[in-house]
Amino acid sequence: MRRAHDAARPDGLTGLSAAAWVAFAALVLAPLAAVVFLAVSRPQLAVLAEPEVLEAGVNSFTSATLSALLAVAAGTALAILIERSDLPGRRALRLFALSPLLVPPFVGAIAWLGIAGPASPLNLWWRGITGQPLWSVYGGDGVVILLAIHSCPVALLVVSAALRRVPADLEQAARIAGAGPLRALATVTLPLLRPAMLSSFMLIAVGNLADFGIPSIIGLPERFTTLATLVYRYLQSGTVDDPLAVVATIGTVLLAIAALALVLDTLIGRGGWELDASSSPPTLLPLGAGRLPVAAIAWAAVLTTTLLPLLALLGQTLLRAPGLPYTPENLTLDNLGRALSSPNTVAGAGNSMMLAALAAVLCGVIGLAVGVLATRTRLAGRRGLLAVSTLPQAIPGLVIAVAWLVLAPRIGLFNTPWIILCAYVTSFVALVVQSVIAPLSATPASAEEAARVSGAGRLRALIDISCRMALPAAVSGAVVVAVTAVRELTLSVLLLSPGSQTLGVVIFNLQQAGAFNAASALSLVVAVLGLAVLGLATRRAA
């Protein structure tokens, strides 16, 4: 009776919920409504039928679909080897396989130019023998492969999490019934992983659909245009009438596709099996005589896609000019010194650190509040609040950037760095919300009930108990937001204003201006710092 009376009585908790709704109305609903309203009020549907738009759309959907398929296939294979086989060095292999998460995709693109670019040592050597390059990373095939490489860790994480929840009893029952290890894996484990594989496929495909860095660096030299690079050209060159309305129309189409993918993902989740991992440990798949060969192939593939690009960046950083042979007289540290001491680099690093820190604080506070409200209260609308907070994860960054471009002039943020900050918070707050929800959902409410019995109000009990319990998770999520914001390019390059360029934009501009060695030097610094964060996080977790 008392609980029902408390729920109906207005208090600080109701005010906190209202404040959270206001924040997400301003950060998520208003920008999306603005881009849809502009697309409807000033429709540019004829532009969608233009040959260059159709070509960019086909290229975007083709590259997103193929890269997602490759990423899910590779990620599932790695997840099975790491979680369900006796592969030697599984833990270290997992660490290396996840490292592309902390290397920005555009940095990976620059690194792969040193491996398979026209002036790379491999292609120069092969051209000297045959007169033709072995393989150039430029073009549509390079875009697909690099998108798959940088998306594979996402599939690995999603499928690994699902694989840990597959009861080992089912596999053991199949083994007892006479099925061999591979037969049990194919007939029991893989069918149970289909929802996770489909979910990761849609998540990766939506993300790759609007990626800007890899298509701009790898695709544009071979005239492989995607929707993201086409929107950037429209906004920068003004080659179309009413460019903002045009990109709003394109963004609305992408938003509709993202919404459809979100609905499908929800339906797949409801139609899947809800399984709990059994207490018995899983029986590892014995690789037998193929243990060492499989390990060699897996390690070679992972190191080729993780360590080799870093070595390529180092090589490009040390060379005086691209294409020179690696001789002592051609090696220098001047590129690194000039890149780090450049005024543009200093300004870009300062802007990135400021925006990333502010985004981390804002996302941490908002995400903590939403996570606590969604999991520890029975307030009306808490599920809607949770859905709105996680919605941006299913929306391409291109749409979020266009949405803020449409909304910013109406609220006085146009041509200021704060528009980038708003877009960061919109895109990344879900990272903190999900970090907070996980530990709170698994924690009983007995401590809060004890605080209520002692006389604390609902808000006081949540602050003293729930918020304190979730604070470490919120801080971890905020750190992830900061690292993600520092390495981000799509939002920053589309929302760029005078004096607000970020470190990613500085690297991108150096690459576009032909300063390949300086771009490689800065990219190497960003990649090493990202991997250092991964190493520290892993060490603390251990």
Side-chain angles (χ1 to χ4, degrees), residues 342-352 499 501-503 506:
S342 168
N344 288 335
T345 302
V346 174
N351 289 333
S352 289
Q501 63 178 355
T502 62
L503 190 57
V506 172

Side-chain angles (χ1 to χ4, degrees), residues 406-491:
V406 175
L407 185 62
R410 294 165 172 78
I411 58 176
L413 293 181
F414 191 68
N415 272 344
T416 69
W418 311 123
I419 185 178
I420 299 178
L421 175 62
C422 291
Y424 282 175
V425 177
T426 301
S427 298
F428 306 140
V429 69
L431 298 175
V432 180
V433 173
Q434 291 183 338
S435 298
V436 170
I437 285 177
L440 287 183
S441 299
T443 305
S446 55
E448 295 167 7
E449 292 175 356
R452 296 293 307 281
V453 171
S454 301
R458 291 195 299 167
L459 182 60
R460 180 67 181 272
L462 286 178
I463 293 176
D464 289 348
I465 307 298
S466 300
C467 287
R468 288 187 178 182
M469 287 192 300
L471 186 59
V475 172
S476 299
V479 171
V480 173
V481 169
V483 173
T484 305
V486 167
R487 63 191 282 272
E488 198 280 329
L489 178 63
T490 303
L491 297 173

Side-chain angles (χ1 to χ4, degrees), residues 19 24 34 39 43 115 137 140-141 152 192 248 267 271 332 351 385 390 439 488 512 519 524:
F24 279 105
I115 301 173
V137 72
D141 52 347
C152 183
L192 295 177
L267 294 176
T332 180
N351 289 333
L385 183 63
T390 56
E488 198 280 329
Q512 296 300 299
L524 179 65

Side-chain angles (χ1 to χ4, degrees), residues 45-118:
L45 297 178
V47 176
L48 298 179
E50 293 289 336
E52 62 178 1
V53 177
L54 292 176
E55 180 184 0
V58 171
N59 290 341
S60 293
F61 287 107
T62 301
S63 60
T65 302
L66 292 179
S67 61
L69 287 173
L70 290 174
V72 171
T76 301
L78 280 174
I80 291 173
L81 287 175
I82 293 172
E83 302 290 340
R84 281 290 201 269
S85 78
D86 60 351
L87 190 78
R90 290 178 293 152
R91 292 184 179 180
L93 182 65
R94 177 184 175 86
L95 177 64
F96 277 100
L98 292 178
S99 61
L101 282 176
L102 290 178
V103 177
F106 68 94
V107 169
I110 294 174
W112 275 90
L113 290 178
I115 301 173

Side-chain angles (χ1 to χ4, degrees), residues 156-206:
L156 173 60
L157 286 174
V158 174
V159 176
S160 293
L163 193 56
R164 295 190 195 103
R165 296 186 62 84
V166 174
D169 301 341
L170 298 178
E171 297 175 350
Q172 292 172 2
R175 297 287 300 276
I176 293 174
L182 290 178
R183 180 72 178 273
L185 179 68
T187 59
V188 176
T189 307
L190 283 180
L192 295 177
L193 293 179
R194 285 175 188 167
M197 294 167 64
L198 288 173
S199 180
S200 61
F201 169 80
M202 284 186 287
L203 178 66
I204 292 170
V206 170

Side-chain angles (χ1 to χ4, degrees), residues 280-466:
S280 59
T283 302
L284 296 181
L285 175 67
L287 298 178
R291 188 167 182 258
L292 292 181
V294 171
I297 294 173
W299 273 101
V302 170
L303 292 181
T304 298
T305 57
T306 57
L307 186 60
L308 188 58
L310 292 179
L311 296 176
L313 279 180
L314 179 61
Q316 295 176 79
T317 299
L318 296 177
L319 278 180
R320 295 185 182 275
L324 293 177
Y326 285 94
T327 57
E329 59 271 16
N330 291 332
L331 301 180
T332 180
L333 292 175
D334 291 345
N335 294 319
L336 187 61
R338 283 196 298 267
L340 293 178
S341 61
S342 168
N344 288 335
T345 302
V346 174
N351 289 333
S352 289
M353 293 174 63
M354 176 193 69
L355 293 172
L358 290 175
V361 172
L362 292 174
C363 289
V365 173
I366 298 173
L368 177 61
V370 172
V372 170
L373 289 173
T375 58
R376 313 301 281 188
T377 71
R378 297 183 179 182
L379 291 174
R382 68 186 187 279
R383 292 184 179 178
L385 183 63
L386 180 60
V388 173
S389 67
T390 56
L391 177 63
Q393 278 198 318
I395 300 175
L398 171 63
V399 176
I400 294 176
V402 172
W404 278 104
L405 277 176
V406 175
L407 185 62
R410 294 165 172 78
I411 58 176
L413 293 181
F414 191 68
N415 272 344
T416 69
W418 311 123
I419 185 178
I420 299 178
L421 175 62
C422 291
Y424 282 175
V425 177
T426 301
S427 298
F428 306 140
V429 69
L431 298 175
V432 180
V433 173
Q434 291 183 338
S435 298
V436 170
I437 285 177
L440 287 183
S441 299
T443 305
S446 55
E448 295 167 7
E449 292 175 356
R452 296 293 307 281
V453 171
S454 301
R458 291 195 299 167
L459 182 60
R460 180 67 181 272
L462 286 178
I463 293 176
D464 289 348
I465 307 298
S466 300

